[in-house]
Amino acid sequence: MKSSFSNVAAILVLCLLSVGFLQIDNNLSFHSQWLILQGNISTDFEQVDWAFSRLPRLVMALLVGSVMGLIGSVIQQLTRNPLLSPVTLGTSSGAWLGLIVLAIFWPEGQTHYQAMAAMLGALLALALVLLISGVRQLTGLSIVLSGMAVNLLFGAITTALILLNNQYAQNLFIWGAGDLSQNGWDKFHWLWPHCLIGIGILAYAGKPLTMLKLGQNAASGRGLNVTALFLVLMLAGLWMLSASITMVGIIGFLGLVAPNLARLLGARTATSELCWSSLLGATLLVAADNLALLISYFTLDIVPTGLTTALLGAPLLIWLIRQRLHQTENSHFNILYGKKPFSRNRFIMIIGVLCFVIMIGVLSHIEQSQYQLRWPDEFSWPLRWPRITASLFAGAAMAVSGVIMQRLIHNPLASPDLLGLSAGAVLALVGSSTFLGIRLGELGPLVAFAGSMSALFVLLLLGKRFRFAPAPMILTGVALSALIETFVQFSLMKGTEEIYDILRWLAGSTYRVTPDQAILLMICSSVFILITLSLHRWLTLMSMGKTAAAARGIAVKPTFVLLLVLAAALCATVTALLGPIAFISIVAPHLASLLGARTVLMQLSLSALLGATLLQASDWLGQTVIYPNHLAAGTMVAILGGAYFMVILLKNRQRLKG
């Protein structure tokens, strides 16, 4: 560190936070607390509560925080990438998915195999990320994008599993949000032996990590087995991560923020960075837990520490992005164009597929576990046509919204869901429903539109410094989305009567769309899409650059704002009536480009057709694949779209290699 004063100050802050944590909503004197620490506990409730709830919670926060900081430092030093952490690498989502799979499909195995299940999930996520980005791209931003794709895919699968087993839903949401509450010392006694390996890392990993800073070739030249070092340290880190998530759920941001703060505060050697990352991780988590307790004290609601960690960590991540990245940073990701131009035969093929998907949605029935094709009767038709209409126009709207975003800010990865617009709409709707007591069905698109526009305003404000360059915008959007989704999780944990309706709505369901809602969605989407098509020349010129657009007589700022408002309005309309729909807005425009769409008008039109086809096909698959259960269209399209998005990233990597 820069000076011994910094060292003392950091330790002092941690001590003050720890002591303060023990005093919140506590009437015990310091003398009584000291006696409890010496083992003299009476039967008084406050003493028992302090000894078996508050004290183990503090010790757990110190342990988990230090472990998360240490893991983040190990990952960042191994990859020399300051933006990597268990969360951005996708391993936290993998571990969480492993635990959910175990809890649902083999609940008896939770007694002994939770850490192992989490470890397998984390390893699967890491393998996927390395497969997509390549082991030689560890220092680039492509691995962050790969981790983001894995996060979204695993998150969609996890949501689907929870919704299909909703008897676990609320407990799983509390656990997944990062809950440090303790009812004794059992969890701590289980966790600390699993983390002993961290002492070995602190003692022995400094020297090889210092050699690795010279570069892989130089380190290998000095006799260091880089591959073995990577495997040993990564496996050790994932083991501690899996054990921690097993006990307290996902605690985000610590592994990302603590090592960066350690370097900003002056940690220069590998060993000092490991040590100070652990210390800062513990400090941040205790601070977050202090905040969680204070909010719980004043609101009488249970506030998980994961929420307050996100409250502190997301702004810190955004600040780090602004400090570390520049507008010249890029992800080396470009739109993949098809070799052949779009032809009449391809257009006929797309129309044919769309018609087939519509017809199969209309005609297919499942009766007594038998698939049948027939025209719907008078009872099923009033339920079926609103659903099909909603999925078709919602898919088209999200696809057109994606084209606008990608063209306007010159970012091939921009989409309303990745940049936080959908999350903003979700927050506005869920927040209004939870805190104002208004049912979701009574909230109109205007509330969602206000949420989307608020998120867009914050994003543009933060992205202006980088001139909306792809990598900083995506990372800022991810941080913003994580922060917003944390608020949404808090709303869900309040356990109102509407929680299952909200959960189904969050999955992007067409199940309960009424005829009036379907007609409203059709009219609004059609109007916004037609306006966008009529403005295709403006979008073409804006996609050429602001200077080129101004030279051709375009009023750049009003046009920029108008087109963004159109994108937000399309997204908000869909989100208000169906819930958040992920991936359509990024996959459909890329598919249109691969099929040969070169002009803006052609890409808008083709993307709308493809988006409608994808969402309707996903809705039908969700109804039939796991019958008698069913998956919401949004969840199904997130799984399919997430997998396809990873294929796009993989192809992009292969093209760059070629």
Side-chain angles (χ1 to χ4, degrees):
M1 304 297 279
K2 288 181 178 178
S3 67
S4 57
F5 174 77
S6 300
N7 304 353
V8 175
I11 295 173
L12 186 61
V13 168
L14 177 58
C15 292
L16 288 174
L17 286 171
S18 300
V19 174
F21 176 81
L22 295 174
Q23 310 313 315
I24 296 174
D25 193 21
N26 169 40
N27 296 319
L28 294 176
S29 65
F30 283 109
H31 179 68
S32 299
Q33 294 175 28
W34 178 248
L35 291 176
I36 293 172
L37 289 175
Q38 292 178 316
N40 299 317
I41 307 171
S42 71
T43 55
D44 178 68
F45 173 77
E46 284 202 32
Q47 290 202 20
V48 173
D49 182 63
W50 195 86
F52 294 100
S53 178
R54 185 63 58 85
L55 199 55
R57 179 167 175 161
L58 172 64
V59 177
M60 185 67 90
L62 291 169
L63 178 61
V64 172
S66 60
V67 164
M68 290 297 176
L70 178 63
I71 297 169
S73 180
V74 166
I75 291 176
Q76 291 183 15
Q77 291 196 61
L78 278 176
T79 60
R80 290 183 295 162
N81 190 334
L83 293 174
L84 282 187
S85 74
V87 172
T88 55
L89 203 52
T91 50
S92 290
S93 297
W96 179 235
L97 176 59
L99 287 170
I100 295 297
V101 169
L102 181 70
I104 291 175
F105 295 104
W106 191 28
E108 298 82 7
Q110 292 184 90
T111 308
H112 302 292
Y113 300 108
Q114 279 189 317
M116 192 60 67
M119 182 78 175
L120 289 175
L123 284 174
L124 176 62
L126 180 63
L128 275 175
V129 169
L130 293 178
L131 176 67
I132 296 168
S133 64
V135 292
R136 296 184 183 279
Q137 298 294 327
L138 297 179
T139 58
L141 287 166
S142 60
I143 193 170
V144 180
L145 294 173
S146 305
M148 183 184 67
V150 171
N151 265 328
L152 292 171
L153 176 62
F154 280 25
I157 296 173
T158 304
T159 301
L161 290 174
I162 292 176
L163 285 174
L164 289 173
N165 300 271
N166 56 17
Q167 65 271 30
Y168 303 110
Q170 189 173 356
N171 289 335
L172 290 175
F173 267 107
I174 293 174
W175 184 20
D179 183 24
L180 286 174
S181 300
Q182 303 294 309
N183 290 315
W185 290 88
D186 292 345
K187 288 184 177 180
F188 175 74
H189 288 316
W190 183 92
L191 181 59
W192 73 263
H194 290 77
C195 300
L196 281 177
I197 197 169
I199 297 174
I201 293 175
L202 287 172
Y204 300 108
K207 185 177 179 181
L209 286 174
T210 301
M211 293 175 65
L212 197 59
K213 286 187 175 182
L214 302 173
Q216 292 188 8
N217 293 333
S220 299
R222 286 167 171 77
L224 179 66
N225 189 330
V226 176
T227 304
L229 176 71
F230 182 87
L231 288 175
V232 169
L233 289 183
M234 192 61 83
L235 287 175
L238 291 184
W239 175 251
M240 291 191 293
L241 171 73
S242 303
S244 299
I245 290 179
T246 300
M247 285 296 102
V248 301
I250 297 177
I251 303 286
F253 294 105
L254 290 179
L256 181 59
V257 172
N260 280 287
L261 278 181
R263 287 190 289 274
L264 282 176
L265 290 173
R268 292 291 177 262
T269 67
T271 302
S272 66
E273 186 181 323
L274 290 172
C275 294
W276 282 99
S277 296
S278 297
L279 178 63
L280 290 170
T283 305
L284 287 171
L285 189 53
V286 173
D289 211 18
N290 266 286
L291 185 57
L293 272 186
L294 285 172
I295 296 175
S296 298
Y297 176 71
F298 288 110
T299 63
L300 302 180
D301 287 321
I302 297 174
V303 179
T305 313
L307 186 146
T308 50
T309 307
L311 281 177
L312 297 176
L316 277 171
L317 174 58
I318 292 172
W319 178 73
L320 285 171
I321 292 168
R322 294 172 67 81
Q323 294 293 315
R324 295 273 175 175
L325 297 185
H326 308 281
Q327 69 180 66
T328 53
E329 293 275 7
N330 62 71
S331 60
H332 302 290
F333 185 90
N334 297 308
I335 294 177
L336 300 174
Y337 288 105
K339 294 179 181 177
K340 296 180 180 178
F342 190 67
S343 63
R344 179 183 298 176
N345 290 338
R346 289 186 175 181
F347 178 74
I348 294 173
M349 180 188 71
I350 292 170
I351 294 295
V353 173
L354 176 59
C355 292
F356 173 77
V357 168
I358 294 174
M359 292 309 295
I360 202 76
V362 172
L363 299 178
S364 66
H365 293 75
I366 302 176
E367 292 181 357
Q368 298 178 345
S369 301
Q370 297 291 323
Y371 289 89
Q372 299 178 3
L373 289 178
R374 61 173 174 78
W375 189 259
D377 56 31
E378 57 182 338
F379 299 107
S380 59
W381 177 244
L383 299 174
R384 188 155 296 198
W385 75 260
R387 191 168 184 169
I388 295 173
T389 304
S391 61
L392 289 173
F393 283 90
M398 290 304 294
V400 170
S401 178
V403 175
I404 297 173
M405 297 291 291
Q406 291 172 22
R407 290 278 183 172
L408 205 55
I409 61 177
H410 313 115
N411 186 334
L413 293 175
S415 70
D417 45 315
L418 290 183
L419 293 179
L421 269 66
S422 296
V426 169
L427 178 63
L429 290 165
V430 174
S432 301
S433 173
T434 305
F435 295 104
L436 301 180
I438 307 173
R439 295 183 67 84
L440 274 176
E442 299 171 1
L443 294 167
L446 285 179
V447 176
F449 179 68
S452 288
M453 286 305 297
S454 301
L456 180 62
F457 175 76
V458 174
L459 188 68
L460 293 178
L461 194 65
L462 295 171
K464 189 176 181 181
R465 172 177 173 175
F466 309 108
R467 298 187 180 181
F468 316 114
M473 284 289 283
I474 290 295
L475 291 172
T476 305
V478 169
L480 199 58
S481 297
L483 183 62
I484 292 174
E485 285 168 6
T486 306
F487 284 115
V488 173
Q489 277 201 331
F490 174 64
S491 301
L492 291 175
M493 284 179 300
K494 290 177 74 70
T496 62
E497 294 178 356
E498 273 203 314
I499 183 169
Y500 294 115
D501 287 339
I502 294 175
L503 283 173
R504 291 189 183 93
W505 173 79
L506 282 175
S509 176
T510 59
Y511 181 63
R512 295 186 178 181
V513 172
T514 64
D516 289 343
Q517 289 175 328
I519 291 172
L520 178 63
L521 178 59
M522 179 178 68
I523 293 174
C524 291
S525 300
S526 299
V527 169
F528 291 138
I529 290 173
L530 287 174
I531 293 174
T532 305
L533 290 173
S534 70
L535 298 177
H536 71 91
R537 179 176 173 272
W538 291 6
L539 187 56
T540 303
L541 293 174
M542 292 294 290
S543 65
M544 294 167 64
K546 293 179 180 177
T547 305
R552 286 164 173 78
I554 296 291
V556 173
K557 284 188 178 179
T559 304
F560 185 78
V561 172
L562 174 62
L563 291 171
L564 279 181
V565 168
L566 270 176
L570 284 162
C571 172
T573 303
V574 174
T575 307
L577 297 174
L578 295 190
I581 303 291
F583 282 113
I584 289 282
S585 52
I586 193 167
V587 169
H590 281 270
L591 270 178
S593 300
L594 279 173
L595 289 171
R598 296 287 187 271
T599 66
V600 169
L601 182 60
M602 186 178 290
Q603 193 184 17
L604 284 170
S605 307
L606 199 53
S607 297
L609 292 174
L610 291 169
T613 307
L614 285 172
L615 194 56
Q616 171 54 27
S618 299
D619 195 24
W620 179 79
L621 286 172
Q623 297 173 53
T624 56
V625 169
I626 56 171
Y627 182 83
N629 293 315
H630 74 271
L631 283 176
T635 303
M636 180 59 80
V637 81
I639 295 172
L640 298 176
Y644 181 74
F645 185 53
M646 290 198 293
V647 172
I648 290 178
L649 291 172
L650 192 59
K651 282 189 174 180
N652 189 68
R653 170 197 158 201
Q654 291 171 345
R655 192 183 65 163
L656 290 173
K657 284 174 67 178

